Structure formats: structure tokens, C-alpha cells
Amino acid sequence: MTSDPPAAPGPPPDLPATRDRHGLTVYPYRDPRPHPALGNSRISFVSAELWRALADLAIAPAAAEATVLALLRTIASDATDAALAPGNERAPRHDLYVSAPAYIGARRRMVWFQRDGAGGPVTAYFPPDDTLPAGPAPRL
């Protein structure tokens, strides 16, 4: 018997990784339900980094995908349209949604939900500069 912990849970092998317009490695997100806080849009893709961080919170490797789906649904439920933040009045509506910082792993992190074009798919990922403070959401 080995005392080594199991490898970090990854996405199921039938989820092909692709690159999106942000240059991120992403996986398809298999929850077809719309997210009311995201303008009733579906999340289509999740970055590999965000997937790993959420899957690492699973109790068992077999529960990784279910954990990612449940946690991302919870995080998305509190996201707000970045265009509604003070000072962002000219930003396009329904283009970027921002979550409040939450503990994902050892530190507080935000999650961005970025729409690719008008009516396009939504990708969930950590902000490019993931050194944001743990206080209220910053102006974007």
C-alpha cells in the first residue's frame, strides 16, 4: 500500500482541451442549465487552471467533475456584470461578469465569466492578474 495521495483530479478524458481567444487552455463545461446571474447564459468553457483549482477541492478524485460543476454554479450565482461597477458605465453590458473573491484553495480569488462576442459562449477563468485584493470587487 502506498501513502502517496492520488494525483490531482483532472477533467474526464472525454473532455478535449482547446485554446480560446484569451490564450487559455479550456475544457467544455457540461452543465447545460443557464445561470441567472450571467444574463441566463450558459457557461461553455472552463480554463484548465480554474478546473484544477476547483477539482482539488473534491473529497475524492471520482467526485472531481461533480465538484467543479457544483462550485462553479455557486460562484456564478453571485457574479455581477462588470459594466454595473462605478466607473465602468461605458463598458459593454453582458460582456464580462465578475465574482466576489472566494477561497479557492489556500487564498481568495475572483473568477471572471467572459462572453466571446455578442451572444457568444461564456468562458470561466481566473483574472489575468490574479493578485487582486481580498476586499470588494475592484473597478475593471
Side-chain angles (χ1 to χ4, degrees):
M1 190 178 238
T2 178
S3 61
D4 294 331
D14 64 331
L15 288 181
T18 60
R19 289 217 180 264
D20 78 346
R21 72 180 180 97
H22 308 289
L24 300 170
T25 300
V26 296
Y27 294 102
Y29 180 71
R30 297 202 277 200
D31 183 358
R33 295 178 292 173
H35 296 270
L38 303 180
N40 285 319
S41 297
R42 289 185 338 103
I43 297 171
S44 299
F45 301 99
V46 178
S47 73
E49 180 186 12
L50 177 57
W51 182 284
R52 279 190 304 274
L54 294 175
D56 284 344
L57 300 174
I59 293 171
E65 184 176 17
T67 299
V68 170
L69 295 177
L71 290 175
L72 198 53
R73 177 160 282 286
T74 300
I75 292 167
S77 70
D78 291 329
T80 57
D81 190 334
L84 300 178
N88 285 347
E89 291 83 8
R90 289 196 222 156
R93 291 288 311 266
H94 310 296
D95 178 56
L96 175 66
Y97 295 86
V98 181
S99 76
Y103 278 100
I104 301 173
R107 61 191 175 102
R108 293 173 61 88
R109 302 176 87 176
M110 294 175 67
V111 174
W112 282 6
F113 301 90
Q114 177 77 53
R115 183 178 314 285
D116 291 334
V122 173
T123 300
Y125 61 101
F126 290 122
D129 180 8
D130 195 21
T131 58
L132 298 171
R139 288 179 39 188
L140 302 171

